[in-house]
Amino acid sequence: MKATILTSFVAIALASTTTLANVIPLSNRDTVNLDVIPHPPIRRLAVEPSSEQISPSLLSSPPFFVEKILPISPEVLDRRENRKNSDDIRDIQHLNFALVIEEFLTAFFERGLARYTQEDFMRAGHAEWVRGRYLQLVEQDRTHKEFLQSAITSGRSEYVRPCKYEFTDNDVHTFVEISEALETIAASAYTGSLQYYSNKAYVTTGASILAVKSRHASWINSAVRKQSPGSTAFETLLTPNEVATLLSDFVNFDSCPSSNRDLLPPNFHTYPKLSLSPRLVPGEKAEISFPSTTLEQGERIYVAFLSGIETIFVPLEARSASHEGGPGNHNEEGSQRYFVEIPRDLAVRGTVFVTLVKGRENIRAVRMDEESIVAGPAMAMFPSDANGNSIGY
């Protein structure tokens, strides 16, 4: 019966502060591809007038209406068919990327719930109903996985196969912490993926799954961890490469079947790893580390804080290792240590994704694109209680 319902559903379904900080608007992020990171912030220090405007005379010129009068040429029909085929391929690639996430989530929860008993959860201080809710949660993730597999095969395409996973939890407490992070990442992944679909049915279904992922993360963070059920008024959107980077601590993408690569979005890869200090306090400086990178003349590194629909850029501060009086955490063969002042605006923001980008000295010209990203993202938490007070600092 369940298989019949799922098949029918598939048939229907197939037709994301310092004074130097800067926030850039959506108008600078209007290209939908993997080379431009589409986080749509809404504030900036100043907005320049757009240099790209359509001439009014063009709106009334023949090319805009002649096609409604004259027969459509075979060449135009061919171009339309090629564009449709290209859109279909892209849709399937992003469905496969969603399946990568669901494969891992299902494996994580199945392994954890098989390992930790009801008694383990209760000894860790959780109510007796918590593990039962987790069992319901993993069943929904499993349904998402099976649905995506069916949708992809119904489109006469192949779907990706599971990779090798590296699980780092050894107790219930760590399991709960990681589970909340993973469901939050999944929600941001679905938020970021919706723009890539041409088929409106995929947009609707992706939004439906996104809502469930957000409820999962909210339940874990609020009912289980006793923290805020949400971060900001908007979900932070992430690109496939950003999500892959966040999951690379658990998913060995080099171990994935070689056939997966051609089934995923083009240029799919992880960025270099970014490590954050375990203690991040808004208004204070924190140390970060990352692999060394090469900068051109006039370039510097900025830290981008992604929170909801805002991206806040803050300059990275480099110090010599000797200045700190100890070995510490070095970059560039131990010659430098790097610090950033955490924007005060991030207090009680909940989940914030942190990325390093390189750009010119003018902070207002900094952009988030494939060529600019140096490392990350990494995940930072700024939790709050029911009264809106910060927790942990």
Side-chain angles (χ1 to χ4, degrees):
M1 181 64 180
K2 184 182 291 186
T4 302
I5 295 174
L6 180 60
T7 303
S8 301
F9 188 34
V10 171
I12 296 173
L14 287 178
S16 143
T17 306
T18 63
T19 57
L20 290 177
N22 183 41
V23 186
I24 62 178
L26 177 60
S27 60
N28 294 316
R29 298 280 190 86
D30 56 2
T31 303
V32 180
N33 58 56
L34 286 179
D35 294 329
V36 177
I37 311 303
H39 301 287
I42 57 174
R43 292 191 289 120
R44 98 173 268 151
L45 296 177
V47 180
E48 298 86 355
S50 173
S51 61
E52 297 181 6
Q53 298 187 10
I54 299 177
S55 170
S57 63
L58 291 178
L59 298 178
S60 59
S61 58
F64 283 84
F65 62 85
V66 70
E67 189 177 37
K68 298 180 181 179
I69 302 174
L70 302 177
I72 300 176
S73 69
E75 291 78 10
V76 171
L77 291 175
D78 287 342
R79 287 198 299 270
R80 287 183 175 179
E81 184 63 26
N82 291 336
R83 184 166 61 247
K84 180 181 182 302
N85 291 339
S86 177
D87 290 344
D88 290 344
I89 292 172
R90 185 177 64 179
D91 285 353
I92 294 298
Q93 288 171 336
H94 286 278
L95 288 177
N96 264 313
F97 172 67
L99 182 56
V100 169
I101 298 171
E102 300 298 348
E103 290 277 10
F104 171 62
L105 286 177
T106 302
F108 171 80
F109 285 114
E110 287 179 342
R111 176 257 186 191
L113 294 172
R115 183 174 188 180
Y116 308 121
T117 65
Q118 178 81 348
E119 290 71 24
D120 292 329
F121 273 81
M122 295 182 70
R123 279 196 296 269
H126 298 293
E128 60 181 355
W129 47 264
V130 170
R131 187 175 183 276
R133 292 295 190 199
Y134 267 110
L135 289 171
Q136 296 173 356
L137 185 152
V138 69
E139 182 61 31
Q140 293 174 354
D141 282 343
R142 189 181 298 114
T143 299
H144 294 158
K145 180 187 74 171
E146 294 170 353
F147 171 81
L148 289 168
Q149 290 173 337
S150 298
I152 293 168
T153 55
S154 295
R156 299 180 181 179
S157 299
E158 297 182 27
Y159 59 79
V160 293
R161 306 299 173 177
C163 304
K164 291 182 180 179
Y165 307 127
E166 300 172 4
F167 301 107
T168 59
D169 57 295
N170 291 309
D171 53 56
V172 172
H173 175 76
T174 308
F175 171 81
V176 169
E177 295 286 313
I178 294 176
S179 70
E180 191 276 334
L182 294 180
E183 290 290 351
T184 298
I185 292 170
S188 289
Y190 276 98
T191 303
S193 70
L194 296 181
Q195 64 188 305
Y196 296 111
Y197 292 115
S198 298
N199 188 327
K200 292 183 178 180
Y202 295 152
V203 176
T204 303
T205 304
S208 179
I209 297 176
L210 159 63
V212 175
K213 299 303 181 189
S214 294
R215 283 199 291 271
H216 288 177
S218 180
W219 172 75
I220 297 170
N221 211 38
S222 180
V224 182
R225 301 182 68 220
K226 310 303 181 186
Q227 296 183 10
S228 174
S231 297
T232 66
F234 298 91
E235 198 74 50
T236 304
L237 63 87
L238 296 174
T239 66
N241 289 343
E242 290 172 324
V243 174
T245 303
L246 289 163
L247 295 182
S248 62
D249 285 338
F250 311 99
V251 182
N252 183 356
F253 287 100
D254 291 334
S255 74
C256 299
S258 58
S259 59
N260 282 10
R261 183 159 297 278
D262 292 335
L263 303 175
L264 292 169
N267 198 28
F268 180 78
H269 67 279
T270 61
Y271 298 115
K273 184 177 179 61
L274 172 64
S275 298
L276 306 176
S277 168
R279 187 173 185 271
L280 301 175
V281 180
E284 296 184 7
K285 293 187 177 182
E287 186 172 8
I288 63 177
S289 62
F290 54 96
S292 61
T293 187
T294 301
L295 298 177
E296 296 181 1
Q297 184 72 26
E299 283 188 329
R300 65 175 302 166
I301 297 178
Y302 297 88
V303 182
F305 296 91
L306 314 180
S307 174
I309 58 172
E310 292 184 343
T311 299
I312 303 174
F313 292 112
V314 181
L316 185 66
E317 177 185 342
R319 303 178 187 174
S320 64
S322 59
H323 175 76
E324 294 301 313
N329 192 3
H330 299 166
N331 292 277
E332 297 186 2
E333 299 180 356
S335 62
Q336 297 284 330
R337 298 177 69 181
Y338 294 97
F339 296 81
V340 63
E341 183 169 337
I342 308 299
R344 294 183 183 275
D345 285 0
L346 297 182
V348 307
R349 286 284 190 99
T351 301
V352 176
F353 298 100
V354 185
T355 302
L356 292 191
V357 297
K358 59 184 178 180
R360 313 306 295 181
E361 291 289 342
N362 180 7
I363 194 172
R364 299 182 66 230
V366 179
R367 295 292 180 263
M368 288 276 295
D369 56 37
E370 183 71 19
E371 298 301 321
S372 299
I373 291 180
V374 173
M379 197 172 183
M381 295 295 297
F382 300 93
S384 62
D385 61 20
N387 297 315
N389 300 313
S390 300
I391 299 174
Y393 53 85

